[in-house]
Structures are given as structure tokens and as C-alpha cells.
Amino acid sequence: MMKKWILMVAFVLGTIPALAQSVVYDQTSSNGVRTLICEGINLGVVGDTDVNVGLAGFNYDGTVLYSLAVVVGSGSSVTIPAGSKCVLTLANGKQYELESVSGGTAVLQNMDVQMDRVYQSYQRFAYYNIKKSMLKKLKKGIARIEFQMQPRSYAASFDADSLGALLLNSREVIDTTFGK
């Protein structure tokens, strides 16, 4: 009986961060693709570049795909080129290269961003494909993330794995919202 209570408490504590995760964008396009983006975090400012990352989920006809939603501060001269790549380095040293979604950059018409403010500038927003199996590997922790940008690339390193925890919590929110 005691084991049941311990497991239940552990389960409840494990779901609390997922429940606290907020959705900042939820729209269905005219072709039936529902896009949901969870609250992201500001990775920091380098020079005049403010970079924010969150997890996006796309649901079309029961299939759910995931992407990193990356936004660069609108006051910056930095852009995200079409076809750019993101490199995730896990705490165990393994690297994974994520490609931007075909078409490269995109425009969000409205995004109540806990990711700091509304961005609507072309080439300052991009999706990077990330597979569900890759999201599971984030439990090992993210040590570094790097994005190809113009005129210079952007990289952030982590001591504590706040980004990995955020993305895992976001995946739970997306899966729950889409009924998965």
C-alpha cells in the first residue's frame, strides 16, 4: 500500500511542471493543420540578438509532429537563413543536427509570447524538426544548443538543464492537448 502512495506522489509531482507549462499560440490553418506552441525561454542576448526557444506541435489528421520554434529579437540585424540548422549537444556529448522545416523561415501572425514579445518579422522565426524519439533523449540533459544565423551563428551552453526540462514538459502539454 505504501508503494502505491509513493508512486502516486511521484507521478503527481512529475506532472506539476507539465501542467504549469502555458500555450502561447494555438491556431488551425485553412488546410486543417493545428499548430500549438508552448511557452519558451529566452536563451540570452549576445550582442543585440535576443533568442527565444519553445516547442511547437503540429496536428494534421491525427498525426503529431514536433519542432523547435526559434525566434530572434525583432530589433536585431541577425536573421535565420532558409535551410539553417540547429545542433543540440546532450550532456553525454552526443550531438544531433536538426534541420529547419522546408521553406525555412515563417511568419507568425500573432504570438502572445512569454517568449518576450510579439515577433512578426520574416526570417526572424523558424521551426526546426525534432522527432519524438529525439525528445525522449533530452532526459539526459542539453549541454549546448547552436543555431546557424546570419551574419553570425548563435550558441548557448547550459549548466542546469532548464531547456531540456522545458521541452519535455511542453511535449506532455502538446500530447495532452492533441489527445495523444
Side-chain angles (χ1 to χ4, degrees):
M1 183 68 159
M2 183 64 139
K3 286 183 182 178
K4 274 187 178 179
W5 282 105
I6 292 171
L7 287 174
M8 185 180 287
V9 169
F11 176 75
V12 169
L13 289 175
T15 59
I16 288 173
L19 298 175
Q21 190 71 38
S22 64
V23 172
V24 296
Y25 183 85
D26 187 357
Q27 297 280 328
T28 302
S29 68
S30 59
N31 60 359
V33 177
R34 182 175 177 190
T35 302
L36 189 133
I37 302 176
C38 288
E39 176 182 0
I41 60 172
N42 188 333
L43 296 181
V45 178
V46 174
D48 60 352
T49 306
D50 190 16
V51 179
N52 297 276
V53 175
L55 187 67
F58 305 92
N59 187 356
Y60 179 72
D61 202 23
T63 300
V64 178
L65 300 174
Y66 305 91
S67 289
L68 292 183
V70 179
V71 182
V72 178
S74 59
S76 170
S77 61
V78 173
T79 60
I80 302 171
S84 70
K85 295 182 187 321
C86 165
V87 178
L88 280 178
T89 304
L90 300 187
N92 64 7
K94 289 191 177 183
Q95 288 189 332
Y96 296 93
E97 194 172 274
L98 311 176
E99 304 224 358
S100 60
V101 174
S102 62
T105 54
V107 176
L108 283 184
Q109 295 309 317
N110 63 31
M111 191 171 175
D112 170 25
V113 264
Q114 286 281 359
M115 299 164 71
D116 288 342
R117 51 191 173 281
V118 177
Y119 298 93
Q120 298 179 357
S121 179
Y122 191 72
Q123 292 191 340
R124 297 188 192 285
F125 177 86
Y127 290 119
Y128 293 89
N129 287 326
I130 188 165
K131 296 183 181 196
K132 189 173 186 176
S133 60
M134 176 61 211
L135 284 169
K136 291 177 184 177
K137 294 177 183 177
L138 299 183
K139 290 179 186 176
K140 297 176 182 171
I142 298 173
R144 182 177 164 87
I145 190 167
E146 183 176 348
F147 301 100
Q148 291 176 338
M149 295 185 183
Q150 291 176 343
R152 63 187 186 274
S153 291
Y154 175 89
S157 297
F158 307 95
D159 290 331
D161 189 29
S162 54
L163 180 60
L166 177 91
L167 296 176
L168 288 171
N169 290 340
S170 296
R171 187 185 137 222
E172 290 179 28
V173 170
I174 290 168
D175 289 349
T176 301
T177 303
F178 290 154
K180 296 289 178 189

